[in-house]
Amino acid sequence: YMTPPIESTTPPPSKSALLSIPQLKQLDRKGFVQIPNAFSRNSILEARAAAIDLYKSTSFSNQNSPSVRQDTTTFISDISSTPVALRSIIRAMRSVASELDSADSTDFSRTISHRVPLHLQLAVYDGERKEYRAHRDNPVLGSRLQDVGLLHYLRSKPYRARGITCIVYLNSEDWNVEESGGGLEVFLGADEQDDVGETSKHPAIVSPVGGTMVLFDSRVVLHRVMPMLCTGERRIALTLWIEGEPRSTA
Ligand SMILES: O=C(O)CCC(=O)C(=O)O
Ligand SMILES: [Fe+2]
């Protein structure tokens, strides 16, 4: 599969805070937080239209093996040539990294020294049964040098830097998981060795409603995208993997 570029940079400052103190604290304690209405309905509608234009005019590809995930993705790295509607959302996502950096350590200290990669993922789940099986975005355990060999270890470098996953959904405001599927299931409290979610004490399902932002610990939180049902809706999401060192091993 494709290895994304590894360049990253210090995060841009945030103009206005996206995260409240209680939300920062929840991300710190649970490793997961959901922020409803992080973006206005209009900005999401415009960004969705721009994303669909890109989907129709550029090439999106499958990452990984189709038994693991069936979405198609493209990586956006040059934001100066990205449609304005998407650009403003991407800027805001990048600024989350600086909010985490400047948070008081009593509110947030799960990860430190955040950087933002120059690329982010635009993913489209188009059609019935499309899903992404349970995984961690930074598979720390699955990519130890002694276990995987040097080549795989070097190839997985970009994934090992991932600290906090930031997702913004570009869907309609009334996405309904029962009707359309496509929920993000997070297996909170699952054991480190659990790759399917059976040990999760508090599984939660996030509806990929337009304007919702989700943040979680890329190393810890096991999650999956539940299979799409047959409504014909496309499920579209932007994902930025904010780099950061875990506090414990820093
Ligand atoms: O779109 C989502 O809700 C999650 C996607 C995901 O897990 C990923 O792309 O790594
Ligand atoms: Fe993921």
Side-chain angles (χ1 to χ4, degrees):
Y1 49 84
M2 182 190 142
T3 305
I6 58 172
E7 300 90 74
S8 59
T9 184
T10 48
S14 52
K15 286 201 206 102
S16 58
L18 274 162
L19 290 162
S20 68
I21 302 290
Q23 287 168 336
L24 273 171
K25 286 187 160 160
Q26 195 194 319
L27 178 60
D28 202 47
R29 274 198 336 273
K30 286 197 188 172
F32 165 80
V33 69
Q34 184 181 347
I35 298 138
N37 305 311
F39 298 93
S40 74
R41 187 190 139 88
N42 250 355
S43 60
I44 294 296
L45 282 176
E46 284 172 21
R48 180 179 175 88
I52 290 177
D53 281 348
L54 276 179
Y55 183 58
K56 290 181 173 161
S57 64
T58 62
S59 76
F60 276 58
S61 58
N62 282 101
Q63 303 291 316
N64 250 304
S65 120
S67 63
V68 177
R69 65 188 290 189
Q70 293 117 33
D71 58 331
T72 54
T73 62
T74 191
F75 283 93
I76 297 177
S77 52
D78 178 11
I79 92 162
S80 65
S81 64
T82 301
V84 185
L86 283 169
R87 207 189 297 169
S88 51
I89 292 177
I90 293 168
R91 282 219 188 89
M93 292 170 80
R94 288 179 172 171
S95 75
V96 168
S98 79
E99 283 184 43
L100 298 179
D101 247 11
S102 51
D104 193 299
S105 66
T106 56
D107 297 328
F108 183 84
S109 63
R110 188 173 270 265
T111 49
I112 57 166
S113 303
H114 303 95
R115 296 176 65 83
V116 287
L118 299 180
H119 66 279
L120 82 175
Q121 174 187 275
L122 177 62
V124 179
Y125 293 75
D126 193 352
E128 202 177 343
R129 288 197 294 272
K130 295 278 162 58
E131 66 176 317
Y132 191 164
R133 299 273 170 90
H135 66 282
R136 291 178 185 81
D137 289 349
N138 179 344
V140 228
L141 283 178
S143 56
R144 284 205 201 98
L145 177 55
Q146 66 269 34
D147 299 334
V148 298
L150 185 60
L151 183 63
H152 185 285
Y153 183 77
L154 292 175
R155 277 207 182 127
S156 66
K157 187 165 188 273
Y159 310 107
R160 282 181 285 114
R162 294 172 175 179
I164 300 287
T165 300
C166 173
I167 304 174
V168 173
Y169 295 111
L170 307 182
N171 299 315
S172 79
E173 272 189 329
D174 49 17
W175 186 285
N176 180 321
V177 174
E178 270 87 62
E179 263 169 36
S180 307
L184 168 70
E185 185 167 25
V186 286
F187 299 104
L188 297 175
D191 290 349
E192 256 186 17
Q193 287 79 9
D194 179 2
D195 287 328
V196 293
E198 61 195 5
T199 62
S200 172
K201 283 144 214 113
H202 332 274
I205 295 173
V206 176
S207 185
V209 168
T212 290
M213 179 188 273
V214 169
L215 297 166
F216 57 83
D217 188 321
S218 314
R219 292 179 177 84
V220 175
V221 175
L222 182 73
H223 61 281
R224 68 165 178 148
V225 175
M226 298 165 80
M228 297 276 287
L229 302 177
C230 61
T231 54
E233 265 305 279
R234 293 191 183 107
R235 181 193 192 278
I236 307 182
L238 277 170
T239 301
L240 172 70
W241 289 284
I242 297 171
E243 299 177 6
E245 303 296 323
R247 169 183 47 175
S248 48
T249 59

